[in-house]
Amino acid sequence: MKILVTGGLGFIGSHTVVELQNEGFEVVVIDDLSNSSLQVLDGITAITGVRPYFEKLDLKIKNDVKAFFKNHNDLAGVIHFAASKAVGESVNEPLMYYENNINTLVYVLQEMANLDKQNFIFSSSCTVYGQADELPITENAPVKPAESPYGNTKQIGEEIIKDTCKVQEKLNCIALRYFNPIGAHPSAEIGELPIGVPQNLVPFITQTAIGIREQLSVFGGDYPTPDGTCIRDYIHVVDLAKAHVVALQRLLSGKNDSNFEFFNLGTGKGSSVLEAIQSFEKVSGKKLNYKIADRREGDVISAYADTNKANEVLGWKTELTLDDAMASAWKWEKKIRNK
Ligand code: NAD
């Protein structure tokens, strides 16, 4: 079965392509390389022994999307990762974020209307919950006003899908709300490639440990948490990638309860920033240079998933630990810096 993965050379997309190919799917990748590189294809090939079909295509160009779907009208499913994802950048360039994250989604859904099989998986985020009133966060927690244009594109994206599912009978969608994806493939053939200063904790940790950054700032040490630092649900990217395959199989076999479902994807365990640092120090054997800095605007205090729905309905749960994720991220960082 032929599956389109948009943004398939990015961090989560590339790991998902690997898991899809491991399960025997034929994968077609679209990416405009705005936040990835062609070398990722070599990494995927080294792991799976199969080089996926790749087209460099900017999904903002409607006519190109149209032409692509005309040539690939035999798709059995689409997993849509392509988006811009830097929260801070989205505050400074909101229209760029709305254009890229909303237009691309609309164009893909429009073209999918012409397919026989209309199975669609959307990358959403736990940011839709903001600071939830209750922890762990279930899928029933209310969606809170977004803190950034980026976060808003995920909320609007879910609304667009919901509205489209009401009228497009053949369309079946699952939105996956990721908590905090980290780590790399254990082979160190693929991983996260942040351009510029990393926005997320783990690449900042590994870049500091390897000497690219002088010091890690932990934003806020006076939060109402056991050690005063923020709590997040760090999920290994390989576990996350596997959830996409399970979700896709659910749609392909028609087992979905409605034509628009959504699931939290996390481990269910919250870890503080200091616990994440300790895990890194343990698996790497390196002491990290960090300091406690002021709080950063927009950070929620604590967020971790209630995973019951994903565990029971999808039949998926995480298998890898925070230590596994840190070890893989460190192996990846060392590999790319030695190249
Ligand atoms: P990423 O930047 O590594 O991957 C996105 C890929 O999409 C990149 O390879 C980029 O080149 C490509 N792309 C962007 N715009 C495109 C366009 N117009 N046409 C074609 N390709 C385009 O990001 P990621 O971390 O792998 O995230 C994947 C998805 O998951 C995104 O939608 C992101 O918003 C969402 N998400 C990520 C996280 C996270 O922490 N990484 C958390 C929640 C949700």
Side-chain angles (χ1 to χ4, degrees), residues 11-12 31-32 34-36 58-59 81 85 100 150 154:
F11 173 44
I12 307 168
D31 204 299
D32 68 351
S34 57
N35 198 32
S36 53
D58 182 348
L59 291 163
F81 291 105
K85 65 163 182 178
N100 200 31
Y150 166 75
K154 294 298 168 191

Side-chain angles (χ1 to χ4, degrees), residues 204-232:
F204 213 111
I205 288 179
T206 56
Q207 289 195 7
T208 305
I210 212 147
I212 296 172
R213 313 270 154 216
E214 208 182 309
Q215 191 177 48
L216 169 78
S217 293
V218 174
F219 297 116
D222 57 353
Y223 283 105
T225 61
D227 65 20
T229 63
C230 288
I231 290 179
R232 296 288 179 273

